[in-house]
Amino acid sequence: MEDSVNYAEYTVEQKSEGAHKRKRTLLIALYIIFCGGGMAFFVGVLKLWPVGAIIPLLTYILHGFTWRYAQLEHKYEVANAKFRVSEIYGRKKQVTVFESFVSEFSLIAPMTDEYKEQWENADKILDYRGSKKTTDGYFARLEKDGVSTVVYFEAINKMLKVMKFYNAKATVVTTMRY
């Protein structure tokens, strides 16, 4: 993390709801089917006990390679006049999924009824909130090349102050929990 007045970052863990909950459930079902089916096939049908004994180990290895995709965090960062959203898988692999200059946003505001028309009506909506039920939900609207993009994120006071520094006319600052 940088140590600067005009820098802010915040990370939220994706809650198990919606599509993320389905992904987690499917992975758990995959582990059960792989282990149970493998044991039933190799031990029950083919009577290969040594191979059947390896199936739980193979399930554990499969879990090690795939479960990180069920552990998702969203990292929001404002640095060098850019707003960047990254997804962190398994608390290790970080992938930048969105990046734009803060000054390019036409509106940065809370997700309230007052701004509902702005955050619902867009060509492209990118939802990077940890939970759909968050009270700290904010959106940033970007109009570029005739396409309107809205990015949903969770904000903190420091981040809003930094965004206001880089784009004062478009940023609506409210009191946040942090």
Side-chain angles (χ1 to χ4, degrees), residues 6-177:
N6 295 325
Y7 175 83
E9 80 174 31
Y10 184 56
T11 304
V12 296
E13 185 175 335
Q14 178 67 48
K15 303 291 186 230
S16 185
E17 60 187 34
H20 187 66
K21 185 175 186 174
R22 282 190 298 278
K23 184 188 297 184
R24 292 172 71 100
T25 304
L26 286 173
L27 281 174
I28 291 169
L30 170 72
Y31 305 146
I32 292 170
I33 291 168
F34 182 80
C35 188
M39 293 289 285
F41 181 72
F42 285 108
V43 175
V45 176
L46 299 180
K47 306 290 188 218
L48 294 173
W49 288 92
V51 176
I54 295 173
I55 296 296
L57 176 64
L58 294 175
T59 305
Y60 179 75
I61 292 170
L62 177 67
H63 175 271
F65 282 112
T66 58
W67 189 248
R68 75 177 118 207
Y69 297 106
Q71 293 179 312
L72 178 63
E73 294 178 336
H74 304 287
K75 178 181 176 184
Y76 319 112
E77 182 178 26
V78 180
N80 301 324
K82 283 187 179 178
F83 176 64
R84 181 178 302 116
V85 180
S86 301
E87 290 184 339
I88 303 170
Y89 296 99
R91 295 178 180 85
K92 293 178 185 162
K93 184 180 177 187
Q94 182 171 321
V95 179
T96 300
V97 291
F98 178 82
E99 184 175 75
S100 179
F101 284 102
V102 177
S103 60
E104 292 179 335
F105 292 120
S106 59
L107 182 62
I108 302 167
M111 295 180 72
T112 60
D113 290 336
E114 181 180 353
Y115 302 102
K116 191 170 189 168
E117 188 175 307
Q118 293 290 322
W119 57 269
E120 278 190 339
N121 300 325
D123 299 325
K124 192 170 162 184
I125 296 176
L126 306 172
D127 191 352
Y128 299 118
R129 296 173 292 170
S131 171
K132 307 245 185 271
K133 301 171 188 164
T134 184
T135 57
D136 297 332
Y138 253 70
F139 74 93
R141 186 175 183 92
L142 178 66
E143 307 286 341
K144 197 173 196 180
D145 301 328
V147 177
S148 60
T149 304
V150 172
V151 180
Y152 298 160
F153 63 99
E154 292 183 38
I156 58 173
N157 286 322
K158 171 111 173 132
M159 184 168 291
L160 293 176
K161 288 177 185 173
V162 174
M163 289 177 129
K164 185 143 183 98
F165 177 80
Y166 289 119
N167 192 349
K169 66 179 176 143
T171 306
V172 177
V173 177
T174 58
T175 305
M176 307 300 292
R177 288 184 296 161

